[in-house]
Amino acid sequence: MQGTPGGGMGPVPSPVDRRTLLVCSCILATALGQMNFTGDQVLRVLAKDEKQLSLLRDLEGLKAQKVDFWRGPARPSLPVDMRVPFSDLKDVKAYLESHGLAYSIMIKDIQVLLDQEREAMAKSRRLERGTSGFSYSSYHTLEEIYSWMDNFVTEHSDIVSKIQIGHSFENRSILVLKFSTGGSQRPAIWMDTGIHSREWITHATGIWTAKKIVSEYGEDRILTNILMSMDIFMEIVSNPDGFAFTHIMNRLWRKNKSNRPGIFCIGVDLNRNWRSGFGGNGSNDNPCSETYRGPYPHSEPEVAAIVDFIRAHGNIKALISIHSYSQMLMYPYGHLLEPVSNQEELTWRAGSPLTGPTTVASSTPSVSSSGTPGAMASCCRPPRSSPQPRRCGWQFGSS
């Protein structure tokens, strides 16, 4: 550390000075269009028993707008990861310590990682402009993804088309890629990514998967056989309003952007808005919660668009929703306790070299699971050249 001209150390800012600096930084960041998370930490807590799990759930109730569970309280054997704003760190840590809840600091300062991520995106964007190409190893904005979709459909019009299935709350287009070798109303597979807007790795996974489908068709026997008899529908940006907001204002925004008269907090967790299991385990009726389920099933236009499309199609045979962070393969139905009838078939090859290390979680109610209209969530692993979901590290939030 550099000393003062007199040889002594310079004045050390007091905690009050640091808080003032952080507040000023947040105000400046907001004015410039981005929220600042300097000093925010991610804590990992390991609850010993159900009593301690209950204490962690109470913490969410006490500070619904402050404590952001990335891996929620599910059972004693699983760690709980939560983001805590700098302004609440002292109180939250005191709460944990007073109740004998051991914790470790998983991420010391979130803003440091966010700055690194933004730097990497800016560098990639400069390279893309220089080569007039599209990087499959970088994150992209909504506008860039939609532009890529247009070019992708043009380049592969023999097998890919684009469908608009609705509009978001803020009137953005909800777009789906259709992979088909011909025919109408054929059996189909539905895939969606990015229903939680801050899970950027899922959008990247969807884009990479789309590229893989067109490049492997005619080369890979299994994929080719599927497309000869079935269609594939892929919704890469399932939450366009929330996703745009993560780039414009709040990188850690998870919900959509709907608002209702008389309710101060904005947004609904779209993955808790399905009719299946609505209001059950893992969802919240508090509009300020990150897992707020909404006023009623399918209340959100983004969810209603998917439901209406699938129902109108009438021949969807499989539904895969890709999330990040937990590296779990989940299948119907996350809000129930009973094993599904074809559990053995669904767990076949789980954790194989095709998928990497995977936890199979069937019918396990937790804040990390919620019913969808069919199969639950699957975490795919792209090749090393793409941003990857990992068991630990820099991803955001419960599924």
Side-chain angles (χ1 to χ4, degrees), residues 231-252:
D231 296 335
I232 299 174
F233 294 98
M234 182 179 294
E235 184 182 25
I236 292 176
V237 187
S238 303
N239 181 1
D241 295 347
F243 184 57
F245 195 63
T246 62
H247 284 274
I248 297 167
M249 177 62 74
N250 183 349
R251 173 63 181 91
L252 303 184

Side-chain angles (χ1 to χ4, degrees), residues 191-193 201-202 204-206 208-209 234 320-325 327-329 354-358 377-383 386-390:
M191 296 179 66
D192 63 68
T193 64
I201 186 62
T202 67
T205 300
W208 176 85
T209 302
M234 182 179 294
I320 303 170
S321 184
I322 300 176
H323 293 254
S324 67
Y325 195 81
Q327 286 290 79
M328 298 199 315
L329 173 65
L354 293 176
T355 60
T358 304
S378 169
C379 188
C380 299
R381 180 180 290 262
S386 295
Q388 296 184 59
R390 295 171 293 171

